[in-house]
Amino acid sequence: SLEPPSRTGPTTRERLEERRRRDENGMNAEQREIAEELLLAVKDKQERLKEIEQEETHEKVKTKQTTARNKEALELRNDIDRCLQDLNKLMDVAEAEASGQS
C-alpha cells in the first residue's frame, strides 16, 4: 500500500495567497520584488554616475572619452528618472488595490 507523501510546508495555493497578502506598505510580494529591483537599479546607476562625475573632476581637457561619459551620465540620469517614475506608479497601484480591498 503506497501512501501519498506527507506534505510539509505551505501548499501552492497557500503560497499564492501569501504572495497576494499586503504588507505594511500596501504591497504584495510581487510588487515588493519589483520595487526592490527598481531601487537596486537606481542605486547602481547612482553609483556609476558618481564614478563618472569623479572621473570628470580629474580631467582638465575635453576628449572623446569625456563626451562618451557625458552621454552615459545623461542616459543614467534618464534611467534613474524612469525607475523612480515606475516605482511611483507601482506604489499608486498598490495603494489603489489596498484601498479597494478594505
Side-chain angles (χ1 to χ4, degrees), residues 7 12 18 20 22 28-29 32 55 58 61 68 76 100-101:
R7 290 190 158 252
T12 301
E18 176 59 31
R20 285 190 214 99
R22 307 272 165 204
N28 64 31
R32 269 192 310 281
E55 289 170 9
H58 297 297
V61 181
L76 288 165
Q101 287 185 342

Side-chain angles (χ1 to χ4, degrees), residues 19 27-46 79-80 82-84 86-87 90:
R19 285 184 62 78
M27 291 187 181
N28 64 31
E30 183 179 10
Q31 291 166 332
R32 269 192 310 281
E33 288 173 16
I34 294 169
E36 288 169 5
E37 288 173 13
L38 288 168
L39 290 170
L40 184 60
V42 167
K43 181 179 177 236
D44 291 344
K45 291 173 192 311
Q46 287 173 330
D79 287 347
I80 290 169
R82 272 191 295 279
C83 286
L84 294 175
D86 289 347
L87 190 57
L90 181 64

Side-chain angles (χ1 to χ4, degrees), residues 60-92:
K60 306 291 184 227
V61 181
K62 297 285 182 194
T63 63
K64 286 184 182 180
Q65 271 187 325
T66 305
T67 304
R69 274 200 305 269
N70 287 341
K71 182 179 177 188
E72 183 183 0
L74 179 61
E75 290 171 358
L76 288 165
R77 286 184 190 99
N78 289 338
D79 287 347
I80 290 169
D81 287 344
R82 272 191 295 279
C83 286
L84 294 175
Q85 289 170 3
D86 289 347
L87 190 57
N88 282 332
K89 286 179 201 168
L90 181 64
M91 291 169 64
D92 289 344

